[in-house]
Amino acid sequence: MVKLRASPPPALPADLPIADVLGLSRNPAFDPARLRGDEFSELARASRNRMLANALVIVFVASVFIPLIGWLIVGLWAGALAIVLTKSRQTDMMLVDPGSYGPHATLAHLQNLYAVASALCWVTALLLFPWLADGAQATMLLLVVMSIMIGSTFVFSTSPLSVLIYISILGSGAMLSLGLEAQWHAMSGMTLFTITSLVATIQVRTIFLKGRLAEASLVEKEAVVSMLLREFEENEADWLWEIDPARKLRAVSPRFAFALGRSQADIEGKPLLEMVAGQTWASGQFPPSLHDLAERLKNRENFSNILVQVSILGEERWWELSGTPMRDDQGRFTGYRGVGSDVTEQRKSSEKIAYLARYDTLTQLPNRLQLTEALGEALRYAAQWRTRCALLMVDLDRFKAVNDSLGHMTGDKLLAQVSARLQSLMGENQLCGRLGGDEFAIVIREASAPGVIGDLAQRVIERLSEPYQIDHHTLYVGASVGSAEGPRDGITVEEMMRNADLALYRAKDSGGGDHCVFEPVLHASAEERRQLEVSLRKALSLDEMVLHYQPVVDARSHAVVSFEALVRWNSADHGFVSPAKFIPLAEDTRLIVPIGQWVIRKACEEARHWPDHIKVNVNVSPEQLLEPGFHEEVVQALAATGLRPDRLEVEVTESIFLRDASIARSALEQVMALGCSVALDDFGTGYSSLGYLRKLKFSTIKVDRTFVQGAAQDSAESLAIINAVVAMAKSLKMTTTAEGVETAEEAELIRNLGCDKIQGFYFGRPMPAEDARKLFHIARELRA
């Protein structure tokens, strides 16, 4: 139903402050624009009456004192007073004129000045005339002044302050007159009379203001009601309804008949409930909302904005109804009258909004809000009945690779199939939902049975690891699961989600495809990781990073041909931190980008101290390679250090082609255009990159140490892979480097397999820059 609102008129205060009464405040309730029309409409008449009254009094006083003191003095006094009164009336008439509303403050000031002048004229007469007449008619003149004071109390004025000034001066003059005659008691009485007149003036003004404000408020309220009724009548969504004591419709309006889908004649005198119940009228099986309406009508209760499910010509609709019972002068019930509107569309929108607030639009699974509510209810149930509940966090393995390589649309279709598989695994008291991205959660309300958590986690991993068919692609992703059990692992939703997430992180960290149960030690690991991240953010600025260099030698001559730069971190807080520990952390937090920039510059600086034919190999992470302007960083490093581009070899892994292949390829081509060479590291351990070997001119393919060790143990597969890589590299005019060679036998085997270069502990461990330089001094001494 459309709600009509209007600003209410200012409320009438119970007590008006004196400042408001005298017009000395800026209260918006006493704004001249609000009351001026009422006040000034009476000002012309009141000013005329005041002028006539003063004229009569002047004539009376003049007739008394001219025989006593002569016409000259009396005439001068009367003329002066007449001028003041005339000017005062002119000021009043200027206020009456609408065109003079602007300088209201100036006109009010003039009113006060004329009040002072008029009062002084009367005080002059009171003091001067009896003295010139040897005391004759002093009492009469005093009574005249008192009469003027009383009259001024009740005479209307738009400037109550001028009335108070007028009475105060007259009273002071009367008191002075009595004091000069030493009539002290009379003087005291005059003082009381003056005070009473002042108080009466304020009271009269207060009563007047309250009356005017009440009238103005009533007028505004009537205007508001008229406006609301007019808007209501013009609004096609709302209608009026009325029923008699038997709950039959009467005085049916055309709009209500239209809402019922019938003519006015068809529904006049028909029961209201019959008209809105539809086919359920005969069976009496009403919707609950109609039962509620019937009870309210039966009990003759007021109701407002109740939602009622109705059936109009076989179509289900929703109405919002308000109604009030009517009674006659004797208090007898005469029926109901009310308003209603069709809110079907609004209700549909509300239901859709409510659905979107609790369900994921992509997978149609419950979202984070509903999952947290279910988990909270499960925890309360477990605490009440001393049972156990559980939360499983599920994260897809390798989903990002699918998303990056095949696009987000394919990724969304994959998520939809994953959600369907998860839903099919749910049993009683189990709810699965999507938290966001490729992360899902399962709430188990009753997990007291042994093995229920582990069994469900294993089934989830196995089911989600089965192949998916999407757009002619066969996709393989796995799943990792972390679980927390309540109330053992947490008594709040936040604790359960945090602990399950820590367990999931452990499962992902171990390689994925596994289920990890929360253990308290995981808190310590998470805290250690947090502290490690804090220290890592400060490592470069504190100069805690250092580069070590591992030699790469020619497979036949064993001469050093290059060094691979490897970053090491000696933290002031944690001591020496293994690269296997801080490199993944740096990649997760994108700190690898500034670290990688530092490594390139530092390695180029050190290579300047080596012989001209020795290269430096620098590992570049996918995060760093995909940064905009990567090649510009390489240019800046070469320019700053003066190193020839052909002496810098950038090493990348196959994983760069799974993020954004086009950006990776473009960045590498720009680096090659500078004259630098590019090596493909850890070849064969990840996803196939044979297509990129054809498209990109790599200078070197590095054979991973796992194949070297396998070949040393006579593994046929490893031998075959190394032979295939060597043959392929030669055909593509690339060199090969075998990593992880630790013994003379392995070195001999690799040389016989045809690898061009060898790297490993057998020829040298990663060493500080000073030790790397010493190798060249030793070589020169041996040659000498």
Side-chain angles (χ1 to χ4, degrees):
M1 183 180 294
V2 177
K3 303 295 190 302
L4 301 175
R5 301 182 182 272
S7 300
L12 183 64
D15 295 316
L16 298 179
I18 298 249
D20 292 340
V21 173
L22 299 182
L24 301 176
S25 70
R26 294 179 177 268
N27 192 329
F30 303 95
D31 185 358
R34 179 177 170 80
L35 297 176
R36 182 179 290 151
D38 291 333
E39 290 187 344
F40 293 170
S41 65
E42 298 184 12
L43 180 57
R45 187 180 70 255
S47 179
R48 183 188 68 239
N49 294 339
R50 184 172 69 247
M51 187 80 172
L52 291 175
N54 274 274
L56 290 175
V57 176
I58 291 172
V59 170
F60 171 72
V61 172
S63 65
V64 171
F65 281 98
I66 285 176
L68 298 177
I69 62 175
W71 63 269
L72 180 60
I73 295 176
V74 175
L76 290 174
W77 167 81
L81 184 55
I83 292 173
V84 172
L85 292 174
T86 301
K87 289 291 186 181
S88 178
R89 175 166 170 75
Q90 289 177 351
T91 302
D92 292 343
M93 297 311 293
M94 290 173 66
L95 287 169
V96 173
D97 181 11
S100 300
Y101 283 2
H104 178 266
T106 302
L107 296 178
H109 181 63
L110 287 176
Q111 280 185 321
N112 294 337
L113 290 179
Y114 292 139
V116 171
S118 178
L120 289 176
C121 287
W122 281 110
V123 170
T124 301
L126 181 61
L127 297 176
L128 182 62
F129 288 2
W131 179 71
L132 293 176
D134 296 328
Q137 302 297 336
T139 302
M140 180 276 297
L141 194 53
L142 181 61
L143 291 175
V144 168
V145 171
M146 293 176 67
S147 299
I148 293 173
M149 293 171 65
I150 294 173
S152 299
T153 298
F154 299 99
V155 171
F156 177 84
S157 173
T158 57
S159 178
L161 182 60
S162 66
V163 177
L164 293 181
I165 294 172
Y166 187 69
I167 292 174
S168 298
I169 295 175
L170 289 179
S172 299
M175 287 184 281
L176 179 59
S177 174
L178 293 172
L180 293 175
E181 296 295 330
Q183 298 182 33
W184 309 116
H185 290 90
M187 179 180 174
S188 300
M190 191 64 207
T191 302
L192 294 176
F193 179 80
T194 302
I195 294 173
T196 302
S197 298
L198 293 173
V199 173
T201 300
I202 294 175
Q203 290 298 320
V204 169
R205 176 64 179 176
T206 300
I207 294 171
F208 169 80
L209 281 178
K210 284 188 175 181
R212 291 305 185 196
L213 286 174
E215 290 176 8
S217 178
L218 182 60
V219 169
E220 291 186 13
K221 287 181 179 178
E222 290 176 352
V224 169
V225 171
S226 299
M227 180 191 68
L228 294 179
L229 289 176
R230 185 170 60 255
E231 291 186 10
F232 179 81
E233 289 297 328
E234 293 173 356
N235 193 321
E236 295 182 358
D238 296 3
W239 24 260
L240 301 171
W241 60 273
E242 187 175 335
I243 59 175
D244 61 17
R247 286 175 265 174
K248 294 182 178 180
L249 292 167
R250 69 184 178 196
V252 177
S253 67
R255 198 173 297 155
F256 185 38
F258 179 79
L260 288 169
R262 303 168 185 260
S263 66
Q264 291 175 262
D266 289 342
I267 60 178
E268 186 74 33
K270 297 291 181 64
L272 171 64
L273 293 179
E274 179 182 352
M275 292 295 98
V276 299
Q279 297 178 354
T280 62
W281 174 255
S283 63
Q285 301 297 319
F286 302 155
S289 59
L290 266 184
H291 275 293
D292 181 43
L293 174 62
E295 283 297 315
R296 292 173 184 268
L297 295 176
K298 178 181 177 182
N299 297 330
R300 302 176 181 177
E301 301 175 0
N302 283 311
F303 54 88
S304 177
N305 301 333
I306 64 169
L307 283 176
V308 181
Q309 182 182 352
V310 300
S311 178
I312 307 300
L313 302 180
E315 181 185 2
E316 180 184 299
R317 309 289 294 179
W318 286 90
W319 284 2
E320 188 176 75
L321 298 176
S322 299
T324 302
M326 300 184 296
R327 301 185 184 276
D328 58 18
D329 295 339
Q330 286 73 39
R332 291 174 298 189
F333 175 69
T334 60
Y336 262 91
R337 180 179 294 160
V339 294
S341 64
D342 191 315
V343 294
T344 305
E345 297 304 321
Q346 294 94 313
R347 182 174 176 84
K348 288 181 179 178
S349 298
S350 299
E351 290 175 347
K352 184 176 181 180
I353 291 173
Y355 178 85
L356 293 176
R358 298 173 60 81
Y359 287 88
D360 177 63
T361 55
L362 175 62
T363 62
Q364 311 306 316
L365 292 178
N367 62 7
R368 180 181 292 271
L369 173 62
Q370 190 172 351
L371 284 169
T372 56
E373 290 177 351
L375 179 58
E377 178 59 32
L379 286 170
R380 287 189 290 272
Y381 180 84
Q384 180 180 359
W385 301 104
R386 297 184 180 276
T387 60
R388 290 182 291 173
C389 63
L391 173 66
L392 279 66
M393 302 277 271
V394 182
D395 190 80
L396 300 182
D397 300 331
R398 300 181 297 279
F399 172 75
K400 186 169 179 55
V402 173
N403 223 13
D404 291 340
S405 60
L406 299 178
H408 290 282
M409 290 187 64
T410 302
D412 289 347
K413 293 177 181 178
L414 176 59
L415 290 175
Q417 290 194 20
V418 168
S419 65
R421 293 187 184 185
L422 276 177
Q423 192 71 32
S424 67
L425 295 174
M426 294 302 101
E428 187 178 0
N429 292 322
Q430 296 175 354
L431 175 72
C432 69
R434 182 186 178 209
L435 295 174
D438 62 338
E439 194 170 7
F440 298 81
I442 301 172
V443 176
I444 305 178
R445 180 185 175 91
E446 176 56 67
S448 300
V452 63
I453 302 174
D455 291 345
L456 178 60
Q458 193 58 41
R459 285 190 288 121
V460 166
I461 294 173
E462 292 174 358
R463 186 74 177 96
L464 298 189
S465 298
E466 295 175 3
Y468 298 83
Q469 297 295 328
I470 298 175
D471 295 339
H472 309 295
H473 296 286
T474 301
L475 305 179
Y476 293 90
V477 296
S480 301
V481 180
S483 64
E485 182 181 305
R488 183 194 67 187
D489 299 332
I491 59 175
T492 66
V493 171
E494 292 75 14
E495 290 176 347
M496 289 287 288
M497 297 194 76
R498 180 190 63 197
N499 293 340
D501 197 48
L502 288 174
L504 174 63
Y505 185 82
R506 169 63 66 86
K508 297 283 287 185
D509 201 39
S510 63
D514 195 12
H515 168 223
C516 181
V517 178
F518 171 76
E519 299 174 356
V521 70
L522 295 181
H523 269 305
S525 300
E527 179 61 20
E528 180 187 5
R529 176 184 170 87
R530 186 192 67 80
Q531 293 180 359
L532 203 63
E533 179 183 343
V534 172
S535 299
L536 185 59
R537 291 185 181 277
K538 302 181 294 184
L540 284 178
S541 61
L542 296 178
D543 200 23
E544 295 177 348
M545 294 287 184
V546 65
L547 288 184
H548 283 191
Y549 301 89
Q550 186 175 25
V552 179
V553 301
D554 184 273
R556 288 165 178 76
S557 66
H558 292 182
V560 175
V561 294
S562 66
F563 282 93
E564 181 177 0
L566 302 170
V567 65
R568 296 293 184 261
W569 179 26
N570 189 11
S571 171
D573 299 324
H574 307 279
F576 177 78
V577 183
S578 168
K581 200 170 188 178
F582 77 83
I583 293 297
L585 177 60
E587 291 179 338
D588 289 345
T589 57
R590 291 188 55 80
L591 290 173
I592 195 67
V593 174
I595 292 175
Q597 295 172 353
W598 176 85
V599 168
I600 291 178
R601 183 178 292 266
K602 198 70 176 176
C604 290
E605 287 179 0
E606 181 59 31
R608 288 279 293 151
H609 300 286
W610 304 338
D612 287 347
H613 66 284
I614 303 298
K615 290 186 175 183
V616 60
N617 303 348
V618 177
N619 292 284
V620 175
S621 74
E623 293 290 340
Q624 187 180 1
L625 184 66
L626 298 179
E627 275 288 299
F630 168 72
H631 73 286
E632 296 177 359
E633 298 172 6
V634 176
V635 170
Q636 291 174 3
L638 294 173
T641 59
L643 186 71
R644 293 198 322 269
D646 63 312
R647 294 186 59 194
L648 174 63
E649 185 169 71
V650 174
E651 294 189 8
V652 296
T653 61
E654 294 173 299
S655 62
I656 63 169
F657 301 114
L658 300 176
R659 295 286 301 276
D660 196 320
S662 60
I663 294 179
R665 178 182 175 184
S666 174
L668 292 177
E669 288 175 344
Q670 289 174 323
V671 170
M672 292 177 183
L674 296 175
C676 303
S677 55
V678 178
L680 186 59
D681 199 4
D682 299 335
F683 182 76
T685 60
Y687 299 94
S688 174
S689 297
L690 297 179
Y692 296 107
L693 288 177
R694 179 176 57 84
K695 295 177 182 178
L696 282 171
K697 183 64 176 178
F698 289 100
S699 61
T700 303
I701 299 177
K702 301 187 76 171
V703 180
D704 189 71
R705 64 189 304 270
T706 56
F707 301 121
V708 174
Q709 293 174 351
Q713 297 171 3
D714 296 327
S715 168
E717 291 83 359
S718 297
L719 289 169
I721 289 174
I722 295 176
N723 280 320
V725 171
V726 170
M728 178 181 62
K730 287 182 178 178
S731 64
L732 294 174
K733 294 182 174 56
M734 301 177 185
T735 61
T736 52
T737 300
E739 296 181 296
V741 175
E742 299 181 355
T743 64
E745 291 78 12
E746 291 176 354
E748 183 66 22
L749 175 62
I750 291 301
R751 183 169 52 252
N752 293 335
L753 288 174
C755 285
D756 301 300
K757 292 174 285 187
I758 302 175
Q759 178 180 355
F761 288 173
Y762 177 69
F763 294 99
R765 293 176 177 272
M767 62 190 71
E770 296 79 7
D771 293 346
R773 294 182 194 180
K774 290 179 182 178
L775 291 180
F776 302 121
H777 295 304
I778 295 173
R780 282 196 295 268
E781 291 175 358
L782 290 176
R783 284 197 299 272

